[in-house]
Amino acid sequence: MNASKEIEIKLEVTDPRALKRRLAEMGFRRVKARHFESNRLLDFPNLALRQAQRVLRLRFVDGKYLLTFKGGPARSRHYKVRAELETEVEDGRGLKEILESAGLREVFRYDKYRTEYAPGAGSKDILRPEGAVRRRGSTRRALERRELVYDETPIGNYVELEGPKRWIDEVAGRLGYERPDYITLSYAALYHQKCREQGKRPANMVFPSRKSRGGS
């Protein structure tokens, strides 16, 4: 199981081609090709987790299931900062059934296509990722991970930056963004916000061709 402190932001992308050209100019390289992800958020009937701003998510990607718990966000004006626990599970459907038997239920589904990037060897020093440091006598990792992912979602395209705040600011700035552009909302919150703005009744954030599919 991985335990870490997540520091991240989202940036809305209006010109995907320009973004990819800029990433290449900055020395970023694609490390994982475009792939589909399906995410299920679980909560109690009284939505106790949502009210506490906590998240329990089951993600299906590349034939694997990942179970993630995210704690309540720390106070931060520009970044989303929260504790994160994540583990791979062999039988995601079986685990979901167990969790539902314990009183949880699926409350929201959101899908996306994700492409992952990493700074190349020739990138400016601040852009290069640093390896994880393992503490002696503990399986907990102190992670200084630096991740840039490009997400295509039913509500638009976004870059997610995760890493130290200074690194986030550097990369966002070189991509042409400023702090007022930073988004700290989750995809679920973004989706519901857009539904309110457009006068639509919220459901699940899925692509039209997948709405009728119950699983992945």
Side-chain angles (χ1 to χ4, degrees), residues 138-200:
S138 174
T139 57
R140 180 185 176 100
R141 296 184 301 172
L143 294 178
E144 280 292 308
R145 59 183 180 185
R146 305 177 181 203
E147 298 180 349
L148 186 154
V149 300
Y150 172 63
D151 288 339
E152 302 165 60
T153 84
I155 59 170
N157 303 323
Y158 298 87
V159 161
E160 278 195 354
L161 296 175
E162 181 176 351
K165 296 176 181 178
R166 180 166 172 254
W167 182 83
I168 289 175
D169 290 343
E170 174 75 12
V171 175
R174 293 182 65 184
L175 287 173
Y177 294 90
E178 299 179 350
R179 280 189 174 178
D181 301 314
Y182 291 8
I183 300 169
T184 58
L185 296 177
S186 66
Y187 278 123
L190 270 176
Y191 169 76
H192 283 88
Q193 181 185 78
K194 288 186 177 290
C195 285
R196 288 193 298 271
E197 292 171 353
Q198 298 170 9
K200 295 181 178 179

Coordinates of all heavy atoms in Angstrom, one line a residue, residues 138-200:
S138 N 9.8 1.3 8.2 CA 8.4 1.7 7.8 C 8.2 1.4 6.4 O 9.1 1.5 5.5 CB 8.2 3.1 8.2 OG 6.9 3.5 7.7
T139 N 7.0 1.0 6.0 CA 6.6 0.8 4.6 C 6.0 2.1 4.1 O 5.8 2.2 2.9 CB 5.5 -0.3 4.5 OG1 4.4 0.1 5.3 CG2 6.1 -1.6 4.9
R140 N 5.8 3.1 4.9 CA 5.3 4.4 4.4 C 6.4 5.1 3.6 O 7.6 5.1 4.0 CB 4.9 5.2 5.6 CG 4.3 6.6 5.2 CD 4.1 7.4 6.4 NE 3.6 8.8 6.0 CZ 2.4 9.2 6.0 NH1 1.5 8.3 6.3 NH2 2.1 10.4 5.6
R141 N 6.1 5.7 2.5 CA 7.0 6.4 1.7 C 6.8 7.9 1.8 O 5.7 8.4 1.8 CB 6.9 5.9 0.2 CG 7.2 4.5 0.0 CD 7.2 4.2 -1.5 NE 5.9 4.4 -2.0 CZ 5.7 4.4 -3.3 NH1 6.6 4.1 -4.2 NH2 4.4 4.6 -3.8
A142 N 7.9 8.6 1.9 CA 7.9 10.1 1.8 C 8.1 10.4 0.3 O 9.2 10.4 -0.2 CB 9.0 10.7 2.7
L143 N 7.0 10.7 -0.3 CA 7.1 10.8 -1.8 C 7.3 12.3 -2.2 O 6.6 13.2 -1.7 CB 5.8 10.3 -2.4 CG 5.6 8.8 -2.3 CD1 4.3 8.4 -2.9 CD2 6.8 8.0 -3.0
E144 N 8.2 12.5 -3.1 CA 8.3 13.8 -3.8 C 8.0 13.5 -5.2 O 8.8 13.9 -6.1 CB 9.8 14.3 -3.6 CG 10.0 15.0 -2.3 CD 9.2 16.3 -2.1 OE1 9.3 17.2 -3.0 OE2 8.5 16.5 -1.1
R145 N 6.9 12.9 -5.5 CA 6.6 12.6 -6.9 C 6.2 13.9 -7.6 O 5.5 14.7 -7.0 CB 5.5 11.5 -7.0 CG 4.2 11.8 -6.3 CD 3.3 10.6 -6.4 NE 2.0 10.9 -5.7 CZ 1.1 10.0 -5.6 NH1 1.3 8.7 -6.1 NH2 -0.1 10.2 -5.0
R146 N 6.5 13.9 -8.9 CA 6.1 15.0 -9.7 C 5.4 14.4 -11.0 O 6.1 13.8 -11.8 CB 7.4 15.8 -10.1 CG 8.2 16.2 -8.9 CD 9.4 17.0 -9.2 NE 10.2 17.3 -8.0 CZ 11.0 18.3 -7.9 NH1 11.3 19.0 -9.0 NH2 11.7 18.6 -6.7
E147 N 4.2 14.7 -11.1 CA 3.4 14.0 -12.1 C 2.6 15.1 -12.9 O 2.0 16.0 -12.4 CB 2.4 13.0 -11.5 CG 3.1 11.9 -10.8 CD 2.1 10.9 -10.2 OE1 0.9 11.2 -10.2 OE2 2.5 9.8 -9.8
L148 N 2.6 14.9 -14.2 CA 1.8 15.7 -15.1 C 0.9 14.8 -16.0 O 1.5 13.9 -16.7 CB 2.6 16.6 -16.0 CG 1.9 17.6 -16.9 CD1 2.8 18.8 -17.2 CD2 1.4 17.0 -18.2
V149 N -0.4 14.9 -15.9 CA -1.2 14.0 -16.7 C -2.2 14.9 -17.4 O -2.6 16.0 -17.0 CB -2.0 13.0 -15.8 CG1 -1.1 12.1 -15.1 CG2 -2.9 13.7 -14.8
Y150 N -2.6 14.4 -18.6 CA -3.6 15.1 -19.5 C -4.8 14.3 -19.5 O -4.8 13.1 -19.9 CB -3.0 15.4 -20.8 CG -4.0 15.9 -21.9 CD1 -4.6 17.1 -21.7 CD2 -4.3 15.1 -23.0 CE1 -5.5 17.6 -22.6 CE2 -5.3 15.6 -23.9 CZ -5.8 16.9 -23.7 OH -6.7 17.4 -24.6
D151 N -5.9 14.9 -19.0 CA -7.2 14.1 -19.0 C -8.2 14.7 -20.0 O -8.4 15.9 -20.0 CB -7.8 14.3 -17.6 CG -7.0 13.5 -16.5 OD1 -6.3 12.5 -16.9 OD2 -7.2 13.8 -15.3
E152 N -8.8 13.8 -20.7 CA -10.0 14.1 -21.6 C -11.2 13.6 -20.9 O -11.3 12.4 -20.7 CB -9.8 13.5 -22.9 CG -8.5 13.9 -23.7 CD -8.2 12.9 -24.8 OE1 -9.0 12.9 -25.7 OE2 -7.2 12.3 -24.8
T153 N -12.1 14.5 -20.5 CA -13.3 14.1 -19.8 C -14.6 14.6 -20.5 O -14.5 15.4 -21.4 CB -13.3 14.8 -18.4 OG1 -13.8 16.1 -18.4 CG2 -11.9 14.8 -17.8
P154 N -15.7 14.1 -20.1 CA -17.0 14.5 -20.7 C -17.3 16.0 -20.5 O -18.2 16.5 -21.1 CB -18.0 13.6 -20.0 CG -17.3 12.4 -19.6 CD -15.9 12.9 -19.2
I155 N -16.6 16.7 -19.6 CA -16.8 18.1 -19.3 C -15.7 19.0 -19.8 O -15.6 20.2 -19.4 CB -17.1 18.4 -17.8 CG1 -16.0 17.9 -16.9 CG2 -18.4 17.7 -17.4 CD1 -16.1 18.3 -15.5
G156 N -14.7 18.4 -20.5 CA -13.6 19.2 -21.0 C -12.3 18.5 -20.7 O -12.2 17.4 -20.2
N157 N -11.2 19.2 -21.1 CA -9.9 18.7 -21.0 C -9.1 19.4 -19.9 O -9.2 20.7 -19.8 CB -9.1 18.8 -22.3 CG -9.9 18.0 -23.5 OD1 -10.5 17.0 -23.2 ND2 -9.9 18.6 -24.7
Y158 N -8.3 18.7 -19.2 CA -7.6 19.3 -18.1 C -6.2 18.7 -17.9 O -6.0 17.5 -18.3 CB -8.3 19.0 -16.7 CG -9.7 19.7 -16.7 CD1 -10.8 19.0 -17.2 CD2 -9.9 21.0 -16.2 CE1 -12.1 19.6 -17.2 CE2 -11.1 21.6 -16.2 CZ -12.2 20.9 -16.7 OH -13.4 21.4 -16.6
V159 N -5.3 19.5 -17.4 CA -4.0 19.0 -17.0 C -4.0 18.9 -15.5 O -4.5 19.8 -14.8 CB -2.8 19.9 -17.4 CG1 -1.6 19.7 -16.6 CG2 -2.5 19.7 -18.9
E160 N -3.5 17.8 -14.9 CA -3.3 17.7 -13.5 C -1.9 17.7 -13.2 O -1.1 17.0 -13.8 CB -4.0 16.4 -12.9 CG -5.5 16.5 -12.7 CD -6.0 15.4 -11.8 OE1 -5.2 14.5 -11.5 OE2 -7.2 15.5 -11.5
L161 N -1.5 18.6 -12.2 CA -0.1 18.6 -11.8 C 0.0 18.2 -10.3 O -0.8 18.7 -9.5 CB 0.5 20.1 -11.9 CG 0.6 20.6 -13.3 CD1 1.1 22.1 -13.2 CD2 1.6 19.8 -14.1
E162 N 0.8 17.3 -10.0 CA 1.0 16.8 -8.6 C 2.4 16.8 -8.3 O 3.3 16.2 -9.0 CB 0.4 15.4 -8.4 CG 0.5 14.9 -7.0 CD -0.1 13.6 -6.8 OE1 -0.8 13.1 -7.7 OE2 0.1 13.0 -5.7
G163 N 2.8 17.4 -7.2 CA 4.2 17.5 -6.7 C 4.4 18.7 -5.7 O 3.4 19.2 -5.2
P164 N 5.6 19.0 -5.5 CA 5.9 20.1 -4.6 C 5.3 21.4 -5.1 O 5.2 21.6 -6.4 CB 7.4 20.2 -4.5 CG 7.8 18.8 -4.9 CD 6.8 18.3 -5.9
K165 N 4.9 22.3 -4.3 CA 4.2 23.6 -4.7 C 5.1 24.4 -5.7 O 4.6 24.9 -6.7 CB 3.8 24.4 -3.5 CG 2.8 23.7 -2.6 CD 2.5 24.6 -1.4 CE 1.5 23.9 -0.5 NZ 1.2 24.7 0.8
R166 N 6.4 24.4 -5.4 CA 7.3 25.2 -6.2 C 7.4 24.6 -7.6 O 7.4 25.3 -8.6 CB 8.7 25.2 -5.6 CG 9.7 26.0 -6.4 CD 11.0 26.3 -5.6 NE 12.0 26.9 -6.4 CZ 13.1 26.2 -6.8 NH1 13.3 24.9 -6.4 NH2 14.0 26.8 -7.5
W167 N 7.3 23.3 -7.7 CA 7.4 22.6 -9.0 C 6.1 22.9 -9.8 O 6.1 23.1 -10.9 CB 7.6 21.1 -8.8 CG 7.7 20.3 -10.1 CD1 8.8 20.1 -10.8 CD2 6.6 19.6 -10.7 NE1 8.4 19.4 -11.9 CE2 7.1 19.0 -11.9 CE3 5.2 19.4 -10.4 CZ2 6.3 18.2 -12.7 CZ3 4.5 18.6 -11.2 CH2 5.0 18.0 -12.4
I168 N 4.9 22.8 -9.1 CA 3.7 23.1 -9.7 C 3.6 24.5 -10.3 O 3.2 24.7 -11.4 CB 2.5 22.9 -8.7 CG1 2.3 21.4 -8.3 CG2 1.2 23.5 -9.2 CD1 1.3 21.1 -7.3
D169 N 4.1 25.5 -9.5 CA 4.1 26.8 -10.0 C 5.0 27.0 -11.2 O 4.7 27.7 -12.1 CB 4.6 27.8 -8.8 CG 3.6 27.9 -7.7 OD1 2.4 27.6 -7.9 OD2 4.0 28.4 -6.6
E170 N 6.2 26.4 -11.1 CA 7.1 26.5 -12.3 C 6.5 25.9 -13.5 O 6.6 26.5 -14.6 CB 8.4 25.7 -11.9 CG 9.4 25.7 -13.0 CD 10.2 27.0 -13.3 OE1 10.0 27.9 -12.4 OE2 10.9 27.1 -14.3
V171 N 6.0 24.7 -13.4 CA 5.4 24.1 -14.6 C 4.2 24.8 -15.1 O 4.1 25.1 -16.4 CB 5.1 22.6 -14.4 CG1 4.4 22.0 -15.6 CG2 6.3 21.8 -14.0
A172 N 3.3 25.2 -14.2 CA 2.1 25.9 -14.7 C 2.5 27.2 -15.3 O 1.9 27.6 -16.4 CB 1.2 26.2 -13.4
G173 N 3.5 27.9 -14.8 CA 3.9 29.2 -15.3 C 4.5 29.0 -16.7 O 4.2 29.8 -17.6
R174 N 5.2 28.0 -16.9 CA 5.9 27.8 -18.2 C 4.8 27.3 -19.2 O 5.1 27.4 -20.4 CB 7.0 26.8 -18.1 CG 8.2 27.4 -17.3 CD 9.3 26.4 -17.2 NE 9.9 26.2 -18.5 CZ 10.9 25.3 -18.7 NH1 11.4 24.6 -17.7 NH2 11.4 25.2 -19.9
L175 N 3.7 26.8 -18.8 CA 2.6 26.4 -19.7 C 1.7 27.6 -20.0 O 0.8 27.5 -20.8 CB 1.8 25.3 -19.0 CG 2.4 23.9 -19.0 CD1 1.6 22.9 -18.2 CD2 2.7 23.4 -20.4
G176 N 2.0 28.7 -19.3 CA 1.2 29.9 -19.6 C 0.0 30.2 -18.6 O -0.8 31.0 -18.9
Y177 N 0.0 29.5 -17.5 CA -1.0 29.7 -16.5 C -0.5 30.5 -15.3 O 0.7 30.5 -15.0 CB -1.5 28.3 -16.0 CG -2.2 27.5 -17.0 CD1 -1.5 26.6 -17.8 CD2 -3.6 27.5 -17.2 CE1 -2.1 25.8 -18.7 CE2 -4.2 26.7 -18.2 CZ -3.4 25.9 -18.9 OH -4.1 25.1 -19.9
E178 N -1.5 31.1 -14.6 CA -1.2 31.8 -13.4 C -2.0 31.3 -12.2 O -2.9 30.5 -12.5 CB -1.5 33.3 -13.5 CG -0.6 34.0 -14.6 CD -1.0 35.5 -14.8 OE1 -2.0 35.9 -14.2 OE2 -0.3 36.1 -15.5
R179 N -1.7 31.6 -11.0 CA -2.4 31.1 -9.9 C -3.9 31.2 -9.9 O -4.7 30.3 -9.5 CB -1.9 31.6 -8.6 CG -0.6 31.0 -8.1 CD -0.2 31.4 -6.7 NE 1.0 30.7 -6.3 CZ 1.6 30.9 -5.1 NH1 1.1 31.8 -4.3 NH2 2.6 30.2 -4.7
P180 N -4.5 32.3 -10.4 CA -5.9 32.4 -10.6 C -6.5 31.3 -11.5 O -7.7 31.1 -11.4 CB -6.2 33.8 -11.1 CG -5.0 34.6 -10.7 CD -3.8 33.6 -10.7
D181 N -5.7 30.7 -12.3 CA -6.2 29.6 -13.2 C -6.2 28.3 -12.5 O -6.8 27.3 -13.0 CB -5.3 29.5 -14.4 CG -5.2 30.8 -15.2 OD1 -6.2 31.4 -15.5 OD2 -4.1 31.2 -15.6
Y182 N -5.6 28.2 -11.3 CA -5.5 26.9 -10.6 C -7.0 26.4 -10.2 O -7.8 27.2 -9.7 CB -4.7 27.0 -9.3 CG -3.2 27.2 -9.6 CD1 -2.7 27.5 -10.8 CD2 -2.3 27.1 -8.5 CE1 -1.3 27.7 -11.0 CE2 -0.9 27.3 -8.7 CZ -0.5 27.6 -9.9 OH 0.9 27.8 -10.1
I183 N -7.2 25.2 -10.4 CA -8.5 24.6 -10.0 C -8.2 23.5 -8.9 O -7.4 22.6 -9.1 CB -9.2 23.9 -11.2 CG1 -9.5 25.0 -12.3 CG2 -10.5 23.2 -10.7 CD1 -10.0 24.3 -13.6
T184 N -8.9 23.6 -7.8 CA -8.7 22.6 -6.7 C -9.9 21.7 -6.5 O -9.9 20.9 -5.7 CB -8.3 23.3 -5.4 OG1 -9.4 24.2 -5.1 CG2 -7.0 24.1 -5.5
L185 N -10.9 21.9 -7.3 CA -12.1 21.1 -7.2 C -11.8 19.7 -7.8 O -11.0 19.5 -8.7 CB -13.3 21.7 -8.0 CG -13.8 23.0 -7.5 CD1 -14.9 23.5 -8.5 CD2 -14.3 22.9 -6.1
S186 N -12.5 18.7 -7.2 CA -12.5 17.3 -7.8 C -13.3 17.3 -9.1 O -14.0 18.2 -9.4 CB -13.0 16.4 -6.8 OG -14.4 16.6 -6.6
Y187 N -13.1 16.2 -9.8 CA -13.9 16.1 -11.0 C -15.4 16.0 -10.7 O -16.2 16.5 -11.4 CB -13.5 14.9 -11.8 CG -12.3 15.1 -12.7 CD1 -11.1 14.4 -12.6 CD2 -12.3 16.2 -13.6 CE1 -10.0 14.6 -13.3 CE2 -11.2 16.4 -14.4 CZ -10.0 15.7 -14.2 OH -8.9 15.9 -15.0
A188 N -15.7 15.4 -9.6 CA -17.2 15.3 -9.2 C -17.7 16.7 -8.9 O -18.8 17.0 -9.4 CB -17.3 14.4 -8.0
A189 N -16.9 17.5 -8.2 CA -17.4 18.9 -7.9 C -17.4 19.7 -9.2 O -18.4 20.5 -9.3 CB -16.5 19.5 -6.9
L190 N -16.5 19.6 -10.0 CA -16.5 20.3 -11.3 C -17.7 19.9 -12.1 O -18.3 20.8 -12.7 CB -15.2 20.0 -12.1 CG -14.0 20.9 -11.9 CD1 -12.8 20.3 -12.7 CD2 -14.3 22.3 -12.3
Y191 N -18.0 18.6 -12.2 CA -19.1 18.2 -13.0 C -20.4 18.8 -12.4 O -21.3 19.3 -13.2 CB -19.2 16.7 -12.9 CG -20.5 16.1 -13.5 CD1 -20.7 16.0 -14.8 CD2 -21.5 15.6 -12.6 CE1 -21.9 15.5 -15.3 CE2 -22.7 15.1 -13.1 CZ -22.9 15.0 -14.4 OH -24.1 14.6 -14.9
H192 N -20.6 18.8 -11.1 CA -21.8 19.3 -10.6 C -21.9 20.8 -10.7 O -23.0 21.4 -10.9 CB -21.9 18.9 -9.1 CG -22.4 17.5 -8.9 ND1 -21.5 16.5 -8.8 CD2 -23.6 16.9 -8.7 CE1 -22.1 15.3 -8.6 NE2 -23.4 15.6 -8.5
Q193 N -20.8 21.5 -10.7 CA -20.7 22.9 -10.9 C -21.2 23.2 -12.3 O -22.0 24.2 -12.6 CB -19.3 23.5 -10.7 CG -19.2 25.0 -10.9 CD -17.7 25.4 -10.7 OE1 -16.9 25.3 -11.6 NE2 -17.4 26.0 -9.6
K194 N -20.7 22.5 -13.3 CA -21.0 22.7 -14.7 C -22.5 22.4 -14.9 O -23.2 23.1 -15.7 CB -20.1 21.9 -15.6 CG -18.7 22.5 -15.7 CD -17.9 21.8 -16.7 CE -16.5 22.4 -16.8 NZ -16.5 23.8 -17.4
C195 N -23.0 21.4 -14.3 CA -24.5 21.1 -14.4 C -25.3 22.2 -13.9 O -26.3 22.6 -14.6 CB -24.8 19.8 -13.7 SG -24.2 18.3 -14.5
R196 N -24.9 22.8 -12.8 CA -25.7 24.0 -12.3 C -25.6 25.1 -13.2 O -26.6 25.8 -13.5 CB -25.1 24.4 -10.9 CG -25.4 23.4 -9.8 CD -25.1 24.0 -8.4 NE -23.7 24.4 -8.3 CZ -22.8 23.5 -7.8 NH1 -23.2 22.3 -7.4 NH2 -21.6 23.9 -7.7
E197 N -24.4 25.4 -13.8 CA -24.3 26.5 -14.7 C -25.1 26.3 -16.0 O -25.6 27.3 -16.5 CB -22.8 26.7 -15.1 CG -21.9 27.1 -13.9 CD -20.4 27.1 -14.2 OE1 -20.1 26.5 -15.3 OE2 -19.6 27.5 -13.4
Q198 N -25.2 25.1 -16.4 CA -25.9 24.8 -17.7 C -27.4 24.4 -17.4 O -28.1 24.1 -18.4 CB -25.2 23.7 -18.4 CG -23.8 24.0 -18.8 CD -23.0 22.8 -19.3 OE1 -23.5 21.8 -19.6 NE2 -21.7 23.0 -19.5
G199 N -27.8 24.4 -16.2 CA -29.2 24.1 -15.9 C -29.5 22.6 -16.2 O -30.7 22.3 -16.5
K200 N -28.5 21.7 -16.0 CA -28.8 20.3 -16.3 C -28.9 19.5 -15.0 O -28.3 19.9 -14.0 CB -27.6 19.7 -17.1 CG -27.5 20.3 -18.5 CD -26.3 19.6 -19.2 CE -26.1 20.2 -20.6 NZ -25.0 19.5 -21.4

